[in-house]
Amino acid sequence: EEEIARTLCLPGEDPFSRTFVARDDRHIVATLSVLDTAPVKRNILLSAPPSARAAVALLRLLAAPFPGFCVPKIGNPLRLLTVRHFACEDGHEEALRFLLRQARREAFGKRFTFLVFGLHESDPLRSLVRGMPGFTFSSLAFATSLIAPARMEALAGGIPFEDYALV
């Protein structure tokens, strides 16, 4: 966490990062890290369809009595807490789901607008987020090679290791 903070932040800045660990006795069975990427990346809500604008305005009114609830505003940066470097041993997916719930609580407690959890559409860990409220954003990745065209089929059929949350 200290290395990430030194790399991403200006002197005097205090980014939020935390690593969550689930253990079975002394053995680590799941881990998940979260990071505030604001020092290196800003996401600004530029526009929204009229229905989403109305929903956000209504949500802002309903959230007024709750000071911990952070509602996005058009034209303002979104405070995103990004999940990075998550893993679990086979059979311990529930431990990782628990860590993800802990990360959601932490994001809410630190007044982040959203917790970002990037997964490939074929990743078997997608089951972790079933039943949790959220938004799905799709993105396209492109790759080409004149040297190893056969390798491209294997790449297209696989699951990328690196998400693009920090790109």
Side-chain angles (χ1 to χ4, degrees), residues 4-138:
I4 291 171
R6 281 194 308 272
T7 302
L8 294 180
C9 295
L10 299 171
E13 267 190 285
D14 186 23
F16 180 79
S17 66
R18 177 146 306 147
T19 300
F20 299 92
V21 176
R23 298 176 191 271
D24 184 5
D25 290 321
R26 301 187 98 186
H27 182 73
I28 295 175
V29 295
T31 184
L32 175 144
S33 296
V34 292
L35 173 69
D36 177 8
T37 59
V40 293
K41 179 183 177 185
R42 297 269 192 250
N43 291 282
I44 298 173
L45 182 59
L46 296 177
S47 68
S51 59
R53 285 178 185 254
V56 168
L58 178 62
L59 186 59
R60 186 168 283 106
L61 287 172
L62 295 173
F66 306 102
F69 199 73
C70 187
V71 180
K73 275 188 175 177
I74 292 179
N76 288 354
L78 299 172
R79 291 201 62 226
L80 304 177
L81 186 61
T82 304
V83 173
R84 302 285 294 163
H85 312 298
F86 54 92
C88 68
E89 285 191 0
D90 288 340
H92 290 278
E93 290 79 9
E94 274 306 309
L96 187 55
R97 183 190 311 268
F98 174 78
L99 296 180
L100 186 57
R101 284 195 305 261
Q102 291 297 108
R104 290 179 66 217
R105 283 187 197 103
E106 197 71 36
F108 180 77
K110 299 287 184 186
R111 299 186 47 83
F112 283 92
T113 312
F114 297 109
L115 177 70
V116 178
F117 188 51
L119 291 169
H120 187 268
E121 61 192 14
S122 300
D123 195 319
L125 291 177
R126 282 181 61 121
S127 64
L128 291 175
V129 296
R130 278 197 199 111
M132 291 183 188
F135 302 98
T136 298
F137 292 94
S138 298

